[in-house]
Amino acid sequence: MKRMNNIFEKLISDENLMFALVEVNKTHRWLPRHKPNKTVAWVEQNMSARVVELRKIIVDGFIPTPVEKKRRWDRSACKYRDICEPALWPDQYVHHALIQVIEPVLMRGMDKYCCGSIRKRGIHYGMKAIEKWMETDVRGTKYCLEADIHHFYDSIKPIYVHNRMKELIKDRRVIDLIERITQNGIQIGVYTSQWFANTVLQPLDHLIREGGFGVTHYIRYMDNFTIFGSNKRKLRKLLKAMEDWLNKKELNLKSNWQIFPVASRMPSALGYRYGRGFTLLRKRNLLRIKRKLSMYYTKKRLNRHIQPRWAAGVISQIGQLTHCNHYNIFKKRIKKGVLKDLKNVIRINSRKERLLWSTFLEQTSLSEKKFYEPKAISIQT
């Protein structure tokens, strides 16, 4: 594959840096409890001056600010995750500016069904693909291999990321910036990490598809593999080849990998279970929804206050049922008026907040009108 060169000038261009400021500000204008972010307000006071400062930071040698680590409970995975939150200025603006120019390079060799942290390739993108395979290709989905990499983000070493990026990018100044950003590892929560993680696993994707292991269908969501084939023996050989490839990168598969016939068990991926012509929610997700609904009915019966954030979470979880075959759950568990009542809780809270922050919203709308007019900005490489 031909390596890309002359990227650094596009990276520090006015157009790219301005677009990075706009993209970061869109999602960081508000702090928790809807307090305005002073850093974003400071950046928007003089965007042209911030572009000049950001360019100088990158050209002089970007030095990452130590990240703030937070331990959070992941309900869907039922485990704690150490989330790293980088500083807003200048780190997150530098990360976005970098990815905007190298994204076409990273996407060039990416597998069609590499999902997660990529635009238009979320959970439902993968769901539709698996549902189609299960319904239309019975022979090709006779056996399923499910595997996961053990502590992928914590285990992968920066040297392997640097070597992979050198295979794709020739510009030495861009490589130097990547090495500076990843000097402390591939950290969960940093915008660049998800892109680098997917890029490191690209050769493994090609090995799975083109290695002659009889793989008919394959999808990967970050470090979770769901592979279908018609020959169980070939899938076992593929598993051994995957382990050998990962060992060379000092990575390992989790010991809970499984190869099983689809006729006796439903494949599980992306939070759902897949049958021939139907899809069900994963058991632990379904149990969590039932518990939430039980808590809601208890609160209503005792006339207790329902928190807006809690109500939003219940609505989100109920929304998962709309993408699978759970008519009976709707009929038995979700009574008439439940969604309307929960939405009303959020609506009332939203009106109060808008009245509370009306002055700031007016200032924000003026800044948006001034700085957000060039919406159709495109970064070409």
Side-chain angles (χ1 to χ4, degrees):
M1 182 182 292
K2 186 177 180 180
R3 295 188 297 168
M4 297 296 293
N5 200 1
N6 303 322
I7 304 177
F8 191 76
E9 295 302 325
K10 298 175 183 178
L11 171 64
I12 61 174
S13 65
D14 289 346
E15 183 185 34
N16 184 54
L17 296 180
M18 180 66 75
F19 190 51
L21 296 180
V22 171
E23 286 295 302
V24 175
N25 290 349
K26 280 181 181 179
T27 55
H28 291 80
R29 180 165 285 112
W30 297 95
L31 292 171
R33 298 184 181 277
H34 289 265
K35 293 181 180 179
N37 192 322
K38 294 182 180 179
T39 303
V40 173
W42 170 73
V43 170
E44 291 191 339
Q45 282 179 0
N46 193 339
M47 299 277 276
S48 300
R50 301 293 89 78
V51 167
V52 175
E53 291 179 24
L54 195 60
R55 181 186 296 109
K56 188 175 187 303
I57 290 172
I58 297 175
V59 172
D60 292 347
F62 170 65
I63 300 176
T65 308
V67 298
E68 181 181 356
K69 290 188 177 181
K70 298 180 181 179
R71 172 158 287 195
R72 298 178 182 174
W73 177 254
D74 187 347
R75 295 182 179 178
S76 61
C78 296
K79 63 180 179 181
Y80 283 101
R81 293 188 186 276
D82 292 324
I83 307 298
C84 299
E85 185 176 347
L88 184 58
W89 176 268
D91 295 55
Q92 295 195 37
Y93 295 99
V94 174
H95 298 166
H96 276 72
L98 172 64
I99 295 300
Q100 283 167 185
V101 294
I102 68 172
E103 181 179 346
V105 182
L106 304 182
M107 291 293 295
R108 187 171 56 181
M110 193 163 292
D111 189 83
K112 180 181 179 181
Y113 291 107
C114 170
C115 307
S117 303
I118 301 174
R119 289 186 181 93
K120 299 181 180 181
R121 291 196 188 184
I123 290 177
H124 300 301
Y125 173 84
M127 270 187 65
K128 292 178 181 177
I130 298 177
E131 288 174 344
K132 180 180 178 181
W133 300 336
M134 290 290 292
E135 188 172 359
T136 59
D137 189 3
V138 177
R139 183 178 179 181
T141 56
K142 184 178 180 180
Y143 295 99
C144 178
L145 164 60
E146 293 180 0
D148 188 8
I149 300 177
H150 179 70
H151 290 173
F152 178 50
Y153 280 93
D154 299 331
S155 302
I156 187 170
K157 295 184 177 180
I159 184 63
Y160 298 111
V161 177
H162 301 162
N163 292 339
R164 176 58 182 163
M165 298 308 298
K166 289 175 184 177
E167 295 175 359
L168 302 175
I169 299 173
K170 193 174 183 179
D171 196 319
R172 180 58 211 172
R173 291 176 293 181
V174 175
I175 294 296
D176 178 68
L177 179 59
I178 294 173
E179 290 176 351
R180 290 173 178 270
I181 291 174
T182 59
Q183 62 185 3
N184 295 321
I186 310 302
Q187 301 165 320
I188 299 178
V190 179
Y191 180 62
T192 56
S193 296
Q194 57 207 26
W195 287 96
F196 294 151
N198 278 326
T199 304
V200 169
L201 293 178
Q202 280 183 15
L204 180 58
D205 295 336
H206 289 284
L207 172 67
I208 293 172
R209 283 200 181 276
E210 304 162 10
F213 298 103
V215 174
T216 53
H217 304 290
Y218 163 60
I219 190 168
R220 175 171 62 82
Y221 190 85
M222 294 309 296
D223 62 338
N224 294 277
F225 302 88
T226 304
I227 306 170
F228 295 96
S230 58
N231 190 308
K232 189 174 183 179
R233 186 178 65 237
K234 289 184 177 181
L235 289 181
R236 287 191 175 276
K237 290 182 179 180
L238 170 61
L239 183 67
K240 181 62 171 60
M242 291 172 61
E243 290 177 337
D244 293 340
W245 189 93
L246 291 171
N247 290 337
K248 293 178 182 178
K249 307 290 183 183
E250 300 184 52
L251 299 171
N252 297 291
L253 286 177
K254 284 185 180 179
S255 58
N256 62 350
W257 60 265
Q258 296 181 16
I259 300 176
F260 55 90
V262 174
S264 61
R265 177 181 161 192
M266 298 172 64
S268 179
L270 307 174
Y272 295 87
R273 294 175 294 153
Y274 306 90
R276 302 291 185 190
F278 66 95
T279 305
L280 302 177
L281 197 64
R282 186 173 284 176
K283 290 183 179 179
R284 65 187 178 198
N285 295 343
L286 186 60
L287 179 61
R288 189 165 68 245
I289 292 175
K290 291 180 179 179
R291 287 174 176 170
K292 286 281 188 179
L293 289 171
S294 179
M295 291 173 62
Y296 165 77
Y297 294 132
T298 302
K299 287 176 180 287
K300 290 296 292 182
R301 188 174 65 253
L302 300 178
N303 291 323
R304 293 180 180 175
H305 177 65
I306 298 177
Q307 296 290 340
R309 187 173 180 180
W310 187 87
V314 176
I315 292 175
S316 177
Q317 291 174 1
I318 293 175
Q320 294 178 347
L321 298 174
T322 62
H323 298 282
C324 56
N325 304 89
H326 274 300
Y327 172 77
N328 289 333
I329 299 297
F330 269 99
K331 187 176 180 180
K332 294 179 181 179
R333 298 278 180 170
I334 304 176
K335 299 179 182 178
K336 186 178 181 181
V338 171
L339 289 174
K340 184 178 180 180
D341 184 43
L342 292 171
K343 290 179 180 179
N344 193 44
V345 171
I346 300 172
R347 189 180 297 112
I348 293 173
N349 181 72
S350 178
R351 288 172 181 171
K352 290 180 180 179
E353 288 179 344
R354 285 182 178 276
L355 290 174
L356 184 63
W357 297 103
S358 59
T359 305
F360 181 78
L361 286 171
E362 290 174 1
Q363 296 175 355
T364 303
S365 63
L366 291 175
S367 64
E368 285 181 349
K369 185 177 180 181
K370 184 177 180 181
F371 295 115
Y372 286 67
E373 285 181 354
K375 295 182 178 179
I377 300 177
S378 61
I379 307 300
Q380 301 291 335
T381 61

Coordinates of all heavy atoms in Angstrom, one line a residue, residues 56 59 61 90 97 103 105 116 134 146 158 177 180 205 207 221 228 239 246 322 324 332 334 338 340 353 359 363 367:
K56 N 0.6 27.1 16.5 CA 1.9 27.3 17.1 C 2.2 26.1 18.1 O 3.4 25.6 18.2 CB 2.0 28.6 17.9 CG 3.4 28.9 18.4 CD 3.4 30.3 19.1 CE 4.8 30.7 19.5 NZ 5.4 29.8 20.4
V59 N 3.2 23.1 15.8 CA 4.4 23.2 15.1 C 5.6 23.2 16.1 O 6.6 22.6 15.8 CB 4.4 24.6 14.3 CG1 5.8 24.9 13.8 CG2 3.4 24.5 13.2
G61 N 5.8 21.5 18.8 CA 6.0 20.2 19.4 C 4.9 20.1 20.5 O 5.1 20.5 21.7
P90 N -5.2 22.3 25.1 CA -5.4 22.2 23.6 C -5.6 20.8 23.2 O -5.7 20.6 22.0 CB -4.1 22.8 23.1 CG -3.1 22.3 24.1 CD -3.7 22.3 25.4
A97 N -8.1 17.7 15.1 CA -7.4 18.2 13.9 C -6.6 17.1 13.2 O -6.5 17.0 12.0 CB -6.5 19.4 14.3
E103 N -8.1 10.6 8.6 CA -9.2 9.6 8.6 C -9.3 8.9 7.2 O -9.5 7.7 7.2 CB -10.5 10.4 8.9 CG -11.7 9.5 8.9 CD -13.0 10.2 9.2 OE1 -12.9 11.3 9.8 OE2 -14.1 9.6 9.0
V105 N -7.0 8.1 5.3 CA -5.9 7.1 5.2 C -6.2 5.9 6.0 O -6.0 4.8 5.6 CB -4.6 7.8 5.7 CG1 -3.4 6.8 5.6 CG2 -4.3 9.0 5.0
G116 N -18.0 0.3 15.3 CA -17.7 0.9 16.6 C -16.8 2.1 16.4 O -15.7 2.0 15.9
M134 N -28.2 -14.3 8.9 CA -28.9 -15.4 9.6 C -30.1 -15.9 8.8 O -30.5 -17.0 8.8 CB -29.3 -15.0 11.0 CG -28.1 -14.9 11.9 SD -27.3 -16.4 12.4 CE -28.7 -17.2 13.3
E146 N -17.2 -16.8 18.5 CA -17.2 -15.6 19.3 C -16.0 -15.5 20.1 O -15.6 -16.4 20.9 CB -18.5 -15.5 20.2 CG -19.8 -15.5 19.4 CD -21.0 -15.4 20.3 OE1 -20.8 -15.4 21.6 OE2 -22.1 -15.4 19.8
P158 N 2.4 1.2 22.7 CA 2.5 2.2 21.7 C 3.3 1.9 20.5 O 3.1 2.4 19.4 CB 3.0 3.4 22.5 CG 2.6 3.2 23.9 CD 2.7 1.7 24.0
L177 N 3.8 13.7 15.8 CA 2.6 14.1 16.6 C 1.9 12.9 17.1 O 1.5 12.9 18.3 CB 1.7 14.9 15.7 CG 0.4 15.4 16.3 CD1 0.7 16.3 17.6 CD2 -0.4 16.2 15.3
R180 N 3.7 11.5 20.0 CA 3.6 12.3 21.2 C 2.2 12.0 21.9 O 2.1 12.0 23.1 CB 3.7 13.8 20.9 CG 5.1 14.2 20.5 CD 5.1 15.7 20.0 NE 6.4 16.1 19.7 CZ 7.3 16.7 20.5 NH1 6.9 16.9 21.8 NH2 8.5 17.1 20.2
D205 N -8.0 -8.4 10.4 CA -9.3 -8.5 9.6 C -9.0 -9.1 8.3 O -9.8 -10.0 7.8 CB -9.9 -7.1 9.4 CG -10.4 -6.4 10.7 OD1 -10.6 -7.2 11.7 OD2 -10.5 -5.2 10.8
L207 N -6.5 -11.1 7.5 CA -6.2 -12.5 7.8 C -7.4 -13.4 7.9 O -7.5 -14.5 7.4 CB -5.3 -12.6 9.0 CG -5.0 -14.1 9.5 CD1 -4.1 -14.8 8.5 CD2 -4.3 -14.0 10.9
Y221 N -16.7 -5.6 16.3 CA -17.1 -4.4 17.1 C -16.0 -4.1 18.0 O -15.9 -4.7 19.1 CB -18.4 -4.6 17.8 CG -19.0 -3.3 18.3 CD1 -19.7 -2.4 17.5 CD2 -18.7 -2.9 19.6 CE1 -20.2 -1.2 18.0 CE2 -19.3 -1.7 20.1 CZ -20.0 -0.9 19.3 OH -20.5 0.3 19.8
F228 N -18.7 -16.3 11.3 CA -19.6 -17.4 10.8 C -18.8 -18.2 9.8 O -18.1 -17.7 8.9 CB -20.9 -16.9 10.3 CG -21.7 -16.2 11.3 CD1 -21.7 -14.8 11.4 CD2 -22.6 -16.9 12.1 CE1 -22.5 -14.1 12.3 CE2 -23.4 -16.3 13.0 CZ -23.4 -14.9 13.1
L239 N -9.0 -19.8 14.8 CA -8.8 -19.4 16.1 C -7.3 -19.4 16.5 O -6.7 -18.5 17.2 CB -9.6 -20.2 17.1 CG -9.5 -19.8 18.6 CD1 -10.2 -18.5 18.8 CD2 -10.2 -20.9 19.4
L246 N -2.0 -12.3 17.4 CA -2.1 -11.4 18.6 C -0.9 -11.6 19.5 O -0.5 -10.6 20.1 CB -3.4 -11.7 19.4 CG -4.7 -11.3 18.7 CD1 -5.9 -11.9 19.4 CD2 -4.8 -9.8 18.5
T322 N -37.4 -1.7 20.5 CA -38.0 -1.4 19.2 C -37.2 -2.0 18.1 O -37.7 -2.0 16.9 CB -38.2 0.1 19.1 OG1 -36.9 0.7 19.1 CG2 -39.1 0.7 20.2
C324 N -36.0 -5.1 18.1 CA -36.0 -6.6 18.1 C -37.4 -7.1 18.3 O -38.3 -6.3 18.4 CB -35.0 -7.1 19.2 SG -35.4 -6.4 20.8
K332 N -47.0 -6.9 28.1 CA -47.2 -7.3 29.4 C -46.6 -6.3 30.4 O -47.1 -6.1 31.5 CB -46.5 -8.7 29.7 CG -47.2 -9.9 28.9 CD -46.5 -11.2 29.2 CE -47.1 -12.3 28.4 NZ -46.4 -13.6 28.7
I334 N -45.1 -3.0 29.7 CA -45.1 -1.5 29.5 C -46.6 -1.1 29.3 O -47.2 -1.3 28.3 CB -44.3 -1.1 28.2 CG1 -42.9 -1.6 28.3 CG2 -44.4 0.4 28.0 CD1 -42.0 -1.3 27.1
V338 N -46.9 5.0 29.9 CA -45.6 5.0 30.6 C -44.6 5.9 29.9 O -44.0 6.8 30.5 CB -45.0 3.6 30.7 CG1 -43.6 3.6 31.2 CG2 -45.9 2.7 31.6
K340 N -45.2 8.3 27.8 CA -45.7 9.7 27.8 C -45.4 10.4 29.1 O -45.0 11.5 29.1 CB -47.2 9.7 27.5 CG -47.8 11.1 27.4 CD -49.3 11.0 27.1 CE -49.9 12.4 27.0 NZ -51.3 12.4 26.7
E353 N -34.8 24.5 32.7 CA -33.4 24.8 32.4 C -33.3 25.8 31.4 O -32.4 26.7 31.5 CB -32.7 23.5 32.0 CG -32.4 22.5 33.1 CD -31.8 21.3 32.6 OE1 -31.7 21.0 31.4 OE2 -31.3 20.5 33.5
T359 N -30.3 33.6 29.2 CA -29.3 34.6 28.8 C -28.1 34.0 28.1 O -27.7 34.5 27.1 CB -28.8 35.4 30.1 OG1 -30.0 35.9 30.8 CG2 -27.9 36.5 29.7
Q363 N -26.7 34.3 24.0 CA -25.3 34.6 23.7 C -24.7 33.5 22.8 O -24.0 33.7 21.8 CB -24.4 34.8 24.9 CG -24.8 36.0 25.8 CD -24.0 36.0 27.1 OE1 -23.3 35.1 27.4 NE2 -24.3 37.1 27.8
S367 N -23.1 33.6 18.9 CA -21.8 33.0 18.5 C -22.0 32.0 17.5 O -21.1 31.8 16.6 CB -21.1 32.5 19.8 OG -21.8 31.4 20.3

